[in-house]
């Protein structure tokens, strides 16, 4: 189901970054910023082959990026970009620049116009290195990459928060690609987790919907990539120690409970998530469920008690048809649960899922028999086709005799359900026919 959580991004190649660096910012630029811009352009221009690329990346990080962030001290990091082991004084909320702060001198990286593209170029460049030197180069640069990314995530500007999350996502993917345990070794994985979790509550009405979406669309994929990177040193989750497996599961559970579910409850009414103050955010959050459940594996069955009644109520709500993208997102969740939690669904939860699917089908029939001019009407064929496929998927895991008995009784009570189960019955008939020899 990861396709529902796909995170596309534009890569920054050499021509792109040189173009950015050669384009003067429209805002007034200080002499020091112009010097750094020219220095970065010169370093990249001289990097004509991959043998000198590691040294070029190091120079860019130390001579250009680091000076831009010198005045932006992060309390969780030492001056060398490593985890601060000395407890910080209690925080009573985010710190905001005072009126006496000079914007350019306090955070010059926010006014350059090339800071973010340059960091993207650096992170993308590790994938271009020879496999023999890629891991060593990345790990030697790691402490220089952390401060800028972390400071962006913790910035008060939503656009920079989103950018920091996007860069962290890229860093996580690169760490996974080289099977590096740097996040574990340095303890900085927990620092990043803390920074991301602090932004999970950026939701309407306190946060405008567009700002909330801009941050959360980058935050959730970044969190998933971070968890993957924190435990990528093992070839598969099954080979982690019991302590590592628990730590990984705790991180995913925290995202599920305090991120996805808490946010859905905040946005929606007590009766159904289809009654929400933001359809876009609700759909987005629902689409985050499958990637988390897939990573939890069979241990996610403990969440079905809270998840499936909510899903069933949502599917049975006739108003959900007004938002076909929400129906699609809910059915993605159902398919994921059936696939990942098959034994438990077969044993206990299939009736709850079936109730939701049947209720949604009946709502589609009612809507279809109406005027046929509503905004939901044109999406009904697609929704009904999807429902038949999910019902077939559910029927395939349930005891055949039990399933036939249940579906027969349902059709007897409501003939309109016959078409919902027709595909399942047809497949059963095809299996009983004797093939020609």
């Amino acid at each position: 189901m990861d396709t529902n959580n796909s995170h596309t991004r534009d890569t920054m190649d050499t021509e792109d970054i040189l173009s950015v660096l050669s384009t003067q910012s429209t805002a007034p630029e200080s002499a020091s910023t112009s010097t750094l811009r020219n220095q970065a352009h010169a370093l990249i221009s001289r990097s004509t082959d991959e043998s000198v690329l590691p040294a070029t990346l190091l120079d860019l990080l130390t001579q250009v990026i680091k000076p831009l962030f010198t005045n932006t001290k992060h309390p969780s990091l030492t001056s060398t970009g490593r985890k601060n082991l000395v407890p910080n004084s209690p925080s009573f909320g985010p710190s905001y620049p005072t009126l006496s702060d000079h914007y350019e001198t306090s955070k010059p990286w926010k006014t350059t116009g090339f800071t973010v593209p340059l960091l993207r170029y650096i992170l993308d460049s590790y994938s271009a290195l020879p496999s023999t030197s890629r891991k060593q180069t990345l790990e030697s640069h790691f402490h220089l990459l952390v401060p800028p990314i972390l400071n962006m995530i913790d910035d008060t500007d939503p656009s920079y928060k989103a950018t920091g999350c996007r860069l962290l996502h890229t860093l996580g993917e690169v760490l996974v690609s080289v099977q590096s345990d740097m996040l574990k070794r340095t303890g900085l994985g927990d620092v990043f987790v803390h920074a991301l979790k602090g932004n999970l509550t950026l939701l309407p009405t306190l946060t405008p919907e567009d700002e909330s979406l801009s941050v959360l669309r980058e935050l959730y994929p970044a969190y998933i990539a971070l968890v993957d990177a924190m435990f990528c040193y093992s070839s598969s989750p099954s080979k982690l120690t019991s302590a590592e497996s628990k730590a990984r599961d705790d991180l995913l559970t925290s995202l599920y409970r305090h991120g996805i579910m808490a946010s859905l409850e905040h946005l929606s009414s007590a009766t159904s998530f289809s009654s929400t103050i933001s359809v876009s955010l609700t759909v987005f959050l629902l689409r985050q469920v499958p990637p988390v459940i897939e990573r939890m594996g069979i241990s996610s069955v403990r969440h079905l008690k809270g998840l499936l009644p909510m899903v069933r109520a949502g599917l049975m709500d006739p108003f959900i048809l007004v938002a076909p993208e929400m129906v699609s997102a809910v059915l993605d969740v159902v398919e994921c649960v059936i696939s990942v939690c098959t034994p438990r669904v077969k044993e206990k939860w299939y009736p709850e899922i079936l109730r939701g699917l049947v209720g949604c089908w009946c709502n589609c029939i009612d809507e279809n028999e109406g005027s046929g001019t509503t905004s939901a009407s044109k999406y009904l064929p697609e929704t009904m086709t999807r429902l038949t496929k999910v019902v077939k998927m559910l029927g395939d895991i349930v005891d055949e005799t039990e399933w036939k008995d249940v579906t027969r009784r349902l059709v007897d009570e409501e003939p309109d359900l016959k078409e919902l189960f027709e595909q399942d019955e047809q497949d059963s008939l095809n299996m009983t026919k004797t093939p020609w020899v």
Side-chain angles (χ1 to χ4, degrees):
M1 300 293 174
D2 270 356
T3 55
N4 294 328
N5 197 50
S6 62
H7 180 79
T8 59
R9 68 174 189 277
D10 295 327
T11 57
M12 180 64 66
D13 60 23
T14 302
E15 290 185 6
D16 292 333
I17 189 59
L18 288 176
S19 176
V20 170
L21 292 170
S22 60
T23 304
Q24 192 72 22
S25 175
T26 55
E29 192 170 82
S30 67
S32 60
T33 299
S34 296
T35 300
L36 292 174
R37 177 193 294 274
N38 295 333
Q39 192 171 357
H41 192 282
L43 285 168
I44 296 172
S45 298
R46 291 198 298 266
S47 179
T48 56
D49 62 78
E50 61 185 28
S51 64
V52 299
L53 185 55
T56 300
L57 297 178
L58 180 60
D59 288 341
L60 289 170
L61 287 167
T62 55
Q63 298 176 28
V64 181
I65 295 296
K66 188 174 181 179
L68 290 170
F69 287 84
T70 298
N71 295 329
T72 313
K73 304 293 185 183
H74 196 282
S76 298
L77 301 176
T78 65
S79 59
T80 59
R82 291 169 172 81
K83 185 177 181 179
N84 188 358
L85 300 178
V86 180
N88 300 309
S89 58
S91 172
F92 297 97
S95 59
Y96 295 91
T98 64
L99 293 176
S100 61
D101 285 336
H102 293 290
Y103 201 63
E104 171 132 5
T105 57
S106 62
K107 294 185 177 181
W109 54 272
K110 297 181 75 170
T111 60
T112 63
F114 64 81
T115 304
V116 172
L118 185 56
L119 282 166
R120 283 172 51 203
Y121 168 77
I122 292 171
L123 287 168
D124 290 337
S125 294
Y126 292 111
S127 300
L129 292 171
S131 57
T132 53
S133 62
R134 191 178 305 154
K135 182 176 182 179
Q136 180 183 355
T137 302
L138 175 62
E139 292 187 345
S140 65
H141 297 177
F142 184 74
H143 66 285
L144 296 167
L145 293 165
V146 171
I149 296 176
L150 199 55
N151 275 298
M152 286 188 184
I153 294 173
D154 280 351
D155 194 74
T156 56
D157 187 328
S159 65
Y160 280 104
K161 284 182 180 294
T163 296
C165 291
R166 193 180 312 122
L167 292 172
L168 176 59
H169 185 183
T170 305
L171 176 60
E173 290 178 333
V174 178
L175 288 168
V176 170
S177 71
V178 297
Q179 297 285 287
S180 173
D181 65 347
M182 283 299 289
L183 289 169
K184 175 190 177 184
R185 203 188 315 164
T186 61
L188 288 169
D190 294 335
V191 175
F192 277 120
V193 167
H194 180 75
L196 293 177
K197 287 171 70 175
N199 293 294
L200 288 171
T201 56
L202 294 177
L203 297 164
T205 55
L206 292 178
T207 304
E209 182 184 51
D210 58 341
E211 291 185 5
S212 178
L213 273 169
S214 69
V215 174
L216 297 183
R217 279 175 175 161
E218 303 296 343
L219 189 154
Y220 277 91
Y223 192 109
I224 292 293
L226 178 63
V227 173
D228 290 346
M230 289 175 71
F231 300 95
C232 67
Y233 46 84
S234 178
S235 57
S236 71
S238 62
K239 294 185 179 180
L240 296 172
T241 66
S242 58
E244 290 169 337
S245 294
K246 183 180 183 305
R248 180 177 180 272
D249 194 69
D250 287 347
L251 289 172
L252 293 170
T253 298
S254 179
L255 182 65
Y256 175 80
R257 287 179 175 168
H258 304 300
I260 300 170
M261 298 305 288
S263 298
L264 285 172
E265 290 175 7
H266 170 80
L267 295 170
S268 308
S269 71
T271 55
S272 172
F273 52 71
S274 61
S275 176
T276 175
I277 62 176
S278 172
V279 171
S280 298
L281 273 168
T282 298
V283 170
F284 169 76
L285 289 165
L286 287 168
R287 292 201 184 281
Q288 307 317 299
V289 176
V292 175
I293 286 183
E294 286 176 345
R295 284 167 174 78
M296 285 184 182
I298 195 63
S299 68
S300 63
V301 296
R302 66 185 184 276
H303 301 301
L304 299 185
K305 183 178 180 181
L307 176 64
L308 291 182
M310 179 192 75
V311 166
R312 185 259 307 157
L315 285 172
M316 295 180 73
D317 188 340
F319 293 106
I320 198 175
L321 297 178
V322 179
E325 68 274 20
M326 190 180 295
V327 182
S328 175
V330 175
L331 292 178
D332 286 343
V333 173
V334 173
E335 286 187 349
C336 178
V337 167
I338 294 173
S339 177
V340 175
C341 307
T342 301
R344 193 60 174 155
V345 170
K346 175 182 179 180
E347 175 187 333
K348 179 178 180 179
W349 288 109
Y350 88 84
E352 186 81 354
I353 296 175
L354 186 58
R355 283 180 63 196
L357 298 172
V358 166
C360 190
W361 180 269
C362 290
N363 289 333
C364 289
I365 295 292
D366 292 342
E367 181 71 26
N368 210 25
E369 292 175 349
S371 63
T373 59
T374 65
S375 59
S377 299
K378 64 178 181 178
Y379 296 101
L380 286 178
E382 181 181 343
T383 298
M384 295 176 78
T385 299
R386 182 84 186 276
L387 285 168
T388 59
K389 291 180 179 178
V390 178
V391 164
K392 172 67 170 57
M393 184 180 182
L394 185 64
D396 285 344
I397 70 169
V398 180
D399 177 77
E400 183 178 358
T401 302
E402 183 177 355
W403 181 254
K404 285 183 177 180
D405 180 58
V406 168
T407 56
R408 185 180 66 253
R409 285 190 283 117
L410 286 171
V411 173
D412 288 343
E413 292 178 12
E414 181 55 72
D416 285 336
L417 293 174
K418 183 177 181 181
E419 188 179 349
L420 178 63
F421 301 112
E422 270 185 355
Q423 183 63 42
D424 190 57
E425 293 175 358
Q426 186 62 45
D427 289 347
S428 179
L429 288 172
N430 291 338
M431 291 178 64
T432 59
K433 289 181 179 178
T434 303
W436 289 99
V437 179

